[in-house]
């Protein structure tokens, strides 16, 4: 993926109206591919997100011996089969596995590889090689896996697995679905019950999906466990739409006068829709419509209409995990609201694809909005009637969430803006701009 081009983003010609569908959920797509690769037999997948990150997971499991036959569909998704390695375990790859920009791929692979007699070097692009991995390796070492070089904090790291993993009970220092999943995946092959306890709830897609693959799993508010050893069995997974992608359409409609939009077939997992609850508290006219479930994943629609008088609010620390990827776009909405919005304990944003916390402050400053960090808290002082300055130029820092956030500043702001490295949207929502333009016709 080239990240060198600037993109000039023109303003939308009209409000957002009609019905939209967003690409498949990125978190669920990764897990569907990776869990299918672990399973005995052939799994059937549909609705899989066709993005650079998910393709990193597909390439990785192919290198480890899984047979992946996922093909593009008319709606832009991927569908087909994955034949896993099951009881025989992953193959020793010919060389390092490049996880690209995908932290999910790298971190979950660590847990998947830990129970097997393989040595696998994991690496990634320049951005991924700066992201913290010690949070993953530390609990896996307690279980009996080794990592080389010893004490290494970032990729490249070589996973040295062991068939003699011990089940553990681990108190996680932060709420992280990737950390939780890595430990649970290692626990699938450990003898006994492996339990992870979090300080606050994180995304629970793993706990919902593992039972579909026949893995004995229990889950509560901040606790998840698996009992092993167990060989996962092939399953059928239909991936719903990604609420993190839907958030950009929903926030745009909340800002654009005259908008009336419904986003259909999107995951309504309670661990993923914190952004909707925050928009409600800010005075947005937004409604969830539950329609069913795919496996144990609830799905439905999000309806949103433009409403006057958005207001600032305080988002408490225990709510952040349910909207951590949406903080940048929520900060943009807060910039248009009356009063101050505070996002508590969002230090995790510093170790995403880039330092999103600093980047949000930087980008809002270009809009003339006061935003600042105080410890791990983010403050945004809104300006009702905010006018986007002409010729504003934003740097996405090759981060897909920031690229869409700053594009939205112009799309909803009535003036063209420039976004550096806009094509990083391919990581999660390749058709973002064309969807916005179609809905505004």
């Amino acid at each position: 993926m080239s990240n060198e081009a600037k993109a000039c983003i023109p303003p939308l010609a009209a409000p957002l109206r009609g019905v939209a569908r967003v690409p498949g959920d990125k978190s669920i797509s990764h897990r569907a591919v990776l869990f299918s690769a672990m399973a005995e037999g052939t799994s059937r997948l549909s609705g899989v997100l066709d993005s650079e990150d998910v393709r990193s997971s597909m390439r990785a499991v192919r290198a480890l011996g899984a047979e992946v036959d996922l093909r593009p569909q008319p709606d832009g998704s991927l569908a087909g089969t994955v034949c896993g390695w099951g009881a025989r375990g992953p193959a020793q790859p010919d060389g390092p596995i490049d996880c690209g920009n995908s932290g999910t791929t790298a971190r979950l692979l660590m847990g998947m590889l830990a129970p097997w007699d393989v040595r696998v070097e994991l690496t990634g692009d320049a951005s991924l090689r700066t992201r913290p991995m010690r949070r993953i390796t530390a609990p896996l070492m307690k279980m009996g896996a080794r990592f080389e070089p010893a004490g290494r904090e970032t990729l490249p790291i070589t996973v040295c697995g062991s068939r003699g993993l011990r089940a553990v009970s681990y108190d996680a220092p932060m709420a992280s679905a990737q950390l939780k999943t890595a430990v649970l995946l290692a626990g699938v092959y450990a003898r006994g019950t492996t339990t992870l306890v979090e300080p606050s709830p994180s995304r629970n897609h793993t706990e919902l999906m593992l039972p579909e693959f026949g893995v004995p799993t229990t889950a509560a508010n901040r606790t998840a466990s698996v009992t092993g050893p167990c060989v996962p069995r092939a399953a059928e997974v239909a991936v719903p739409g990604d609420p993190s992608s839907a958030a950009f359409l929903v926030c745009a409609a909340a800002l654009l006068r005259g908008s009336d939009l419904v986003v259909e077939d999107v995951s309504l997992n309670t661990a993923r829709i914190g952004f909707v609850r925050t928009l409600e508290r800010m005075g947005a006219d937004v409604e969830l419509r539950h329609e069913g479930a795919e496996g144990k994943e609830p799905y439905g629609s999000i309806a949103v209409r433009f409403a006057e008088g958005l207001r600032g609010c305080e988002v408490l620390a225990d709510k952040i995990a349910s909207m951590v990827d949406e903080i940048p776009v929520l900060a943009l909405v807060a910039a248009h609201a009356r009063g101050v919005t505070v996002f508590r304990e969002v230090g995790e944003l510093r170790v995403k694809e880039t330092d999103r916390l600093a980047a949000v402050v930087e980008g809002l400053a270009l809009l003339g909005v006061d935003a600042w960090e105080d410890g791990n808290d983010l403050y945004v002082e809104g300006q009702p009637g905010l006018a986007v300055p002409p010729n504003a130029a934003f740097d996405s820092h090759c981060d897909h969430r920031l690229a869409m956030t700053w594009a939205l500043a112009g799309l909803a702001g009535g003036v063209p803006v420039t976004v550096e490295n806009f094509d990083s949207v391919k990581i999660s929502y390749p058709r973002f701009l064309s969807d916005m333009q179609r809905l505004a016709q």
Side-chain angles (χ1 to χ4, degrees):
M1 179 178 64
S2 169
N3 282 316
E4 298 177 356
K6 293 181 182 179
C8 183
I9 311 295
L12 294 176
L16 299 183
R17 292 182 173 272
V19 175
R21 293 193 177 192
V22 293
D25 185 90
K26 185 156 75 81
S27 295
I28 299 174
S29 293
H30 275 299
R31 285 160 174 77
V33 170
L34 296 171
F35 297 3
S36 296
M38 294 172 61
E40 193 77 55
T42 300
S43 298
R44 301 195 63 84
L45 312 181
S46 61
V48 173
L49 172 66
D50 189 359
S51 76
E52 294 290 336
D53 270 17
V54 175
R55 285 187 176 271
S56 289
S57 285
M58 292 165 58
R59 287 190 292 268
V61 296
R62 279 196 187 101
L64 292 165
E67 298 175 17
V68 181
D69 185 17
L70 296 176
R71 302 184 182 186
Q73 303 300 300
D75 65 358
S77 69
L78 297 172
T81 60
V82 177
C83 184
W85 52 68
R88 74 177 184 273
Q92 178 66 45
D94 294 334
I97 290 181
D98 186 347
C99 301
N101 188 247
S102 178
T104 302
T105 304
R107 290 168 172 155
L108 270 57
L109 280 176
M110 289 180 180
M112 292 170 61
L113 295 170
W116 300 100
D117 291 329
V118 292
R119 290 176 53 89
V120 181
E121 181 180 336
L122 303 178
T123 188
D125 67 10
S127 171
L128 184 57
R129 293 197 303 272
T130 68
R131 297 179 68 180
M133 296 295 160
R134 182 72 178 176
R135 60 181 61 180
I136 310 297
T137 60
L140 295 178
M141 286 190 291
K142 289 180 180 294
M143 300 178 74
R146 292 188 303 106
F147 296 88
E148 296 177 352
R152 183 76 178 245
E153 298 282 347
T154 57
L155 298 181
I157 290 175
T158 297
V159 184
C160 306
S162 168
R163 289 182 180 267
L165 287 194
R166 301 179 293 273
V168 298
S169 181
Y170 185 72
D171 290 328
M174 74 283 290
S176 166
Q178 293 176 0
L179 164 57
K180 175 173 60 180
T181 302
V183 172
L184 294 179
L185 294 184
V188 168
Y189 288 96
R191 188 166 299 279
T193 298
T194 295
T195 301
L196 185 133
V197 181
E198 299 181 288
S200 60
S202 67
R203 296 179 182 183
N204 64 345
H205 300 303
T206 294
E207 300 95 297
L208 295 178
M209 190 181 293
L210 281 179
E212 300 294 306
F213 285 86
V215 177
T217 309
T218 59
N221 186 40
R222 295 185 297 108
T223 304
S225 303
V226 294
T227 301
C230 171
V231 178
R233 302 188 303 269
E236 186 165 333
V237 181
V239 179
D242 194 327
S244 294
S245 295
F248 290 92
L249 303 185
V250 171
C251 289
L255 293 175
L256 276 164
R257 184 177 300 277
S259 292
D260 188 350
L261 180 68
V262 177
V263 185
E264 290 186 330
D265 293 331
V266 64
S267 169
L268 298 184
N269 185 311
T270 54
R272 298 293 303 283
I273 54 174
F275 78 92
V276 174
R277 303 308 181 197
T278 296
L279 288 172
E280 288 175 334
R281 294 184 59 218
M282 297 177 79
D285 183 358
V286 60
E287 175 190 0
L288 298 176
R289 300 172 181 173
H290 290 264
E291 294 165 5
E294 292 289 357
K296 295 183 179 180
E297 289 281 352
Y299 72 89
S301 301
I302 306 175
V304 57
R305 300 177 185 84
F306 173 80
E308 297 276 7
L310 293 177
R311 57 187 179 273
C313 69
E314 181 179 9
V315 183
L316 299 178
D318 64 351
K319 306 299 182 186
I320 294 300
S322 69
M323 65 184 88
V324 65
D325 284 336
E326 293 76 62
I327 298 296
V329 72
L330 288 172
L332 179 63
V333 175
H336 289 263
R338 184 175 304 282
V340 175
T341 298
V342 186
F343 300 94
R344 299 290 185 192
E345 293 300 322
V346 290
E348 182 70 11
L349 295 181
R350 295 191 176 100
V351 293
K352 292 292 187 177
E353 283 83 339
T354 188
D355 183 344
R356 286 182 183 166
L357 194 52
V360 165
V361 172
E362 171 192 89
L364 292 181
L366 293 175
L367 297 173
V369 173
D370 286 334
W372 63 94
E373 303 172 45
D374 184 1
N376 286 325
D377 298 341
L378 171 65
Y379 290 76
V380 180
E381 186 171 352
Q383 296 182 22
L386 173 66
V388 177
N391 304 314
F394 300 92
D395 190 345
S396 75
H397 300 281
C398 300
D399 185 310
H400 54 128
R401 310 288 184 200
L402 293 173
M404 289 185 280
T405 296
W406 304 134
L408 182 53
L411 291 166
V415 298
V417 301
T418 300
V419 180
E420 294 266 6
N421 305 309
F422 177 73
D423 61 352
S424 59
V425 300
K426 294 174 183 176
I427 292 292
S428 61
Y429 195 170
R431 65 172 195 259
F432 166 72
L433 191 57
S434 61
D435 278 2
M436 293 286 285
Q437 292 167 338
R438 175 183 60 80
L439 292 165
Q441 290 178 353

